Amino acid sequence: MSQALPPPASLYAERLERFEDEADLHALSEAAIAAILDGGGFGWVRAPKASVVEQYYRGVLLVPERELIVGRMDGMVYGAAQLQKPSRNNEAQSFSVQMMHHFVAPYARGHGLAREILRKAEERARALGFYVLNLDVRATQKGAISLYEAEGFTRWGTHPAYARVRGQTIPGHFYYKKLK
C-alpha cells in the first residue's frame, strides 16, 4: 500500500489485550514498518523484518506495565501507541504514565487517526487513575509535534542529542499534559 487511503467510513481506537487473529498482528506490523521507513520509527531507524516486529508486539502484550492502543479505519489496524506505566516500586512517580511509540502508517494519515489514538490513550490513562501523561518526540516529527501541542500538551524541555538517525544527531522534545 503506497497510495493514501480514501476517507474511512469508520475510525476508532481501542485497547488491544490480545491478538484475536493474525490479521491484526500482520496489519500492525505492516503499519509500523511503513512508519519506520517514513522516518517515524520509535527507536528503529532501519525497518526490521515483519517477523521481528510481530514478535515485538506479541511481547508488548505480555508486559504488565504496558498497554497497547491501536487505531482502526474501517476495522483495519493502521496505527498504535503504548502506555508505559511506572514500575510498582516507583511510588514517587506513580501518578504519571508515559505514552510512547505513537504512529500511524503514512498511507493512512490525514484522517484523524493519530488524534483518535492519542485521545484513547488519554482516556485510558485517566481510567487507570493517572494525573499526568508524558511523552517525547524527535524534533523532526513536525506533524506529531503539531498534534500534541494542539491537544494541550506542554513542551517542558528539549534534549539536543536525543536520537541518532543516519549519522545525524537529532534533538527531541519532552511534553506533559495534566489529566485531572
Side-chain angles (χ1 to χ4, degrees):
M1 293 186 178
S2 58
Q3 295 182 341
L5 297 173
S10 69
L11 180 141
Y12 62 96
E14 65 179 341
R15 178 176 170 230
L16 199 64
E17 296 184 67
R18 65 184 149 305
F19 293 105
E20 297 294 337
D21 57 42
E22 294 294 300
D24 277 352
L25 181 59
H26 295 319
L28 180 57
S29 174
E30 179 183 311
I33 290 170
I36 293 164
L37 291 171
D38 192 53
F42 23 93
W44 276 305
V45 175
R46 291 180 301 278
K49 292 180 181 179
S51 61
V52 171
V53 178
E54 290 176 7
Q55 182 179 3
Y56 167 78
Y57 279 111
R58 281 189 181 101
V60 166
L61 294 181
L62 297 175
V63 179
E65 291 83 19
R66 294 250 176 145
E67 297 215 358
L68 179 63
I69 310 289
V70 298
R72 297 180 185 272
M73 294 190 323
D74 297 330
M76 179 72 78
V77 175
Y78 288 107
Q82 294 175 45
L83 290 177
Q84 173 71 46
K85 298 179 262 185
S87 61
R88 287 179 220 153
N89 68 318
N90 190 353
E91 293 176 355
Q93 294 178 332
S94 63
F95 66 96
S96 67
V97 65
Q98 178 84 16
M99 188 182 79
M100 52 198 305
H101 309 316
H102 182 208
F103 73 92
V104 171
Y107 47 81
R109 293 179 185 156
H111 303 291
L113 190 59
R115 178 172 273 112
E116 190 70 22
I117 294 167
L118 176 60
R119 288 180 177 170
K120 185 64 170 186
E122 285 184 39
E123 175 188 303
R124 182 66 182 150
R126 276 188 196 93
L128 291 168
F130 291 105
Y131 295 92
V132 176
L133 179 59
N134 295 304
L135 62 87
D136 52 84
V137 61
R138 291 181 197 163
T140 55
Q141 306 296 136
K142 303 296 184 195
I145 291 166
S146 292
L147 171 64
Y148 300 143
E149 291 177 357
E151 289 295 312
F153 282 81
T154 300
R155 184 186 305 181
W156 62 265
T158 298
H159 188 309
Y162 173 80
R164 190 109 173 114
V165 178
R166 294 179 189 90
Q168 271 194 300
T169 302
I170 299 171
H173 302 307
F174 292 82
Y175 289 86
Y176 75 93
K177 183 175 184 178
K178 292 182 179 178
L179 300 175
K180 296 182 179 187

